[in-house]
Amino acid sequence: MDSVKTPGLYIHIPFCLSKCPYCDFYSSTSFSAISDFLDALFKEMERYGHRFDPFDTVYLGGGTPSLLSLEQLEDILMNVRKNFHLISNAEITLEANPADLNQSLLESILEIGFNRINIGIQSFDEKVLDFLGRRHSVRQAISAIEASRKAGFHNIGLDLIYGIPGQDMALWFETLKQAVTFSPEHLSCYQLTIESNTPLGRRYQAGEFSIPGEELQYEFFMKTSQFLEHTGYIHYEVSNFARGMEYSSRHNQKYWNHSPYLGLGPSAHSFQGNQRWWNHRSLDQYLATIKAGDFPIQGKEALTMEQLQLEALYLGLRTKNGICLQDFKNRYDSDFLSGKKKILEKLEEEGFLSIRNGRLYPTPTGLAIADSLSLI
Ligand code: SF4
């Protein structure tokens, strides 16, 4: 939680060629509305105007932003620049599916202004890709990474998923070891979460498969962390690793350190001060509200000081950097941490937290149980 709070811009591209059965993100597989969506998105940008900027990050996520044509991607960045001020070395990320990428396209993507690419690899095991319902193959994953490097990307992030039914440690490590052979600047290793409202969630509830128990999950987490740290990556957030802090995701850090962010597009969330709001999770409703001249906001909440403090504590403890106690005092209520002194000291004794040099840090074990630390 540092005092510099430059805002970030997130743009949700709500289209996918097919839905992966585990995914809970909002997207549509019907492409007929792409051009209406882009028109609405540009209107939404105009409507916000200069209320947030300057931004130092732009993140195109989704959905599958790499499904858009180069012209459409260029149009989005042009409209971002027309409506908002970006600082000169802004981090501009494109989330991509390996199946959509080739070297000449990647060269053009770099040329129009993206300087970071985050590729949804998930696994280098064909069977796992099949279980996850991914539309790309292992061969496509490998050639997408190689093409990104050859095209000139110096900031490549790979997403991987572990804890897949039937996957043991050895199988997961085959994927992990293959990933590091490409020396990606950033790795996100997510544990598979089964969302009840997804096709995979329904199969799980029907008892079709089981998932690793808590002990095995902990082992996956710790061994992944130890291996990647040993290989030269910094485990800087529960699921995120960077080959040097300069490669940590500047954009995602905004979510963890309570920086302001503006989210555009269906289902996107925004945060500023103590206000949080989110857009309609339906393309039709998003288009209709924009057409009616309104903001496409579905809901909002004003966080109380206590909610802000709890969130800051919980989010800060998800990061290796932890929480700067002085910053916390300045920004929130000075009494909060001293009010939690007993429980924090107990967690320190038990090896989950460490308090030193004016900061409160999670230990590696603390990172592994970061979700439960939110309950303190
Ligand atoms: S995981 Fe990605 S590609 Fe798959 S449905 Fe979700 S957003 Fe689309």
Side-chain angles (χ1 to χ4, degrees):
M1 194 183 357
D2 298 309
S3 36
V4 184
K5 303 278 180 198
T6 312
L9 177 64
Y10 173 77
I11 300 176
H12 190 82
I13 308 297
F15 301 100
C16 289
L17 205 56
S18 56
K19 284 298 284 184
C20 306
Y22 62 93
C23 175
D24 187 32
F25 293 121
Y26 175 70
S27 66
S28 158
T29 50
S30 152
F31 296 169
S32 54
I34 288 187
S35 93
D36 286 349
F37 161 70
L38 290 175
D39 288 345
L41 177 69
F42 302 152
K43 287 208 177 81
E44 194 186 8
M45 288 183 191
E46 269 171 33
R47 232 155 262 174
Y48 276 102
H50 289 281
R51 280 169 47 175
F52 267 80
D53 56 356
F55 293 112
D56 69 347
T57 64
V58 180
Y59 194 104
L60 256 70
T64 313
S66 56
L67 273 181
L68 297 182
S69 69
L70 185 66
E71 292 68 32
Q72 289 165 331
L73 292 173
E74 193 170 17
D75 222 10
I76 291 175
L77 287 190
M78 212 182 70
N79 275 275
V80 165
R81 292 203 164 92
K82 193 172 107 190
N83 290 288
F84 307 115
H85 183 62
L86 295 189
I87 68 157
S88 60
N89 68 341
E91 176 192 276
I92 306 181
T93 306
L94 178 74
E95 238 177 37
N97 185 299
D100 301 332
L101 302 176
N102 62 61
Q103 193 177 327
S104 81
L105 175 67
L106 281 155
E107 282 166 6
S108 306
I109 288 173
L110 197 61
E111 221 171 83
I112 62 173
F114 289 95
N115 50 27
R116 183 170 185 272
I117 188 139
N118 201 70
I119 313 174
I121 300 293
Q122 318 312 359
S123 178
F124 290 107
D125 181 327
E126 223 52 88
K127 280 196 189 124
V128 171
L129 290 180
D130 198 42
F131 178 84
L132 293 174
R134 300 292 301 182
R135 68 179 163 96
H136 69 272
S137 63
V138 171
R139 190 185 49 75
Q140 284 173 315
I142 294 171
S143 65
I145 304 167
E146 289 174 345
S148 302
R149 195 60 89 198
K150 279 193 199 136
F153 273 95
H154 300 301
N155 198 347
I156 299 175
L158 308 182
D159 285 354
L160 302 174
I161 301 183
Y162 65 90
I164 315 286
Q167 180 190 48
D168 60 14
M169 197 66 71
L171 266 183
W172 161 238
F173 262 71
E174 278 178 24
T175 277
L176 197 54
K177 284 183 176 163
Q178 183 151 5
V180 300
T181 61
F182 300 104
S183 298
E185 281 68 30
H186 194 270
L187 275 166
S188 299
C189 299
Y190 298 108
Q191 189 167 297
L192 178 69
T193 14
I194 307 281
E195 306 286 353
S196 54
N197 56 339
T198 59
L200 200 65
R202 287 187 278 280
R203 284 180 53 201
Y204 176 66
Q205 279 148 17
E208 281 187 38
F209 60 85
S210 60
I211 50 169
E214 257 178 43
E215 246 173 68
L216 188 54
Q217 284 180 10
Y218 178 76
E219 204 184 328
F220 269 111
F221 183 94
M222 293 307 279
K223 288 203 165 144
T224 301
S225 174
Q226 284 154 7
F227 171 75
L228 288 176
E229 289 255 349
H230 186 71
T231 320
Y233 286 86
I234 301 167
H235 189 179
Y236 73 97
E237 196 268 348
V238 172
S239 311
N240 289 288
F241 300 82
R243 202 152 57 78
M245 277 314 275
E246 67 275 29
Y247 296 121
S248 58
S249 163
R250 199 195 287 171
H251 183 79
N252 285 345
Q253 295 207 46
K254 307 212 178 275
Y255 304 132
W256 306 318
N257 71 13
H258 259 176
S259 292
Y261 47 86
L262 176 62
L264 304 176
S267 78
H269 281 56
S270 305
F271 177 75
Q272 190 177 42
N274 70 336
Q275 304 289 318
R276 177 168 291 129
W277 63 99
W278 48 95
N279 282 354
H280 288 291
R281 197 186 150 95
S282 142
L283 185 55
D284 287 344
Q285 273 177 294
Y286 174 82
L287 295 176
T289 41
I290 296 266
K291 198 171 170 200
D294 295 326
F295 283 97
I297 296 173
Q298 185 192 359
K300 52 183 154 187
E301 62 181 349
L303 301 177
T304 63
M305 182 53 89
E306 202 191 344
Q307 286 172 315
L308 282 172
Q309 290 168 337
L310 275 170
E311 243 189 49
L313 184 66
Y314 156 64
L315 292 169
L317 289 178
R318 296 182 67 84
T319 65
K320 187 186 176 87
N321 244 345
I323 292 164
C324 168
L325 298 177
Q326 190 55 49
D327 275 0
F328 195 99
K329 275 189 184 172
N330 296 345
R331 187 163 182 203
Y332 308 103
D333 187 326
S334 61
D335 286 339
F336 182 73
L337 283 181
S338 43
K340 296 268 177 196
K341 204 165 173 212
K342 257 194 173 160
I343 178 114
L344 292 176
E345 279 174 2
K346 187 162 181 279
L347 288 167
E348 190 178 20
E349 254 171 54
E350 288 169 355
F352 296 118
L353 298 178
S354 165
I355 304 172
R356 69 194 137 86
N357 302 330
R359 294 191 92 98
L360 176 67
Y361 301 88
T363 61
T365 321
L367 269 188
I369 58 141
D371 289 336
S372 350
L373 286 181
S374 67
L375 305 174
I376 61 178

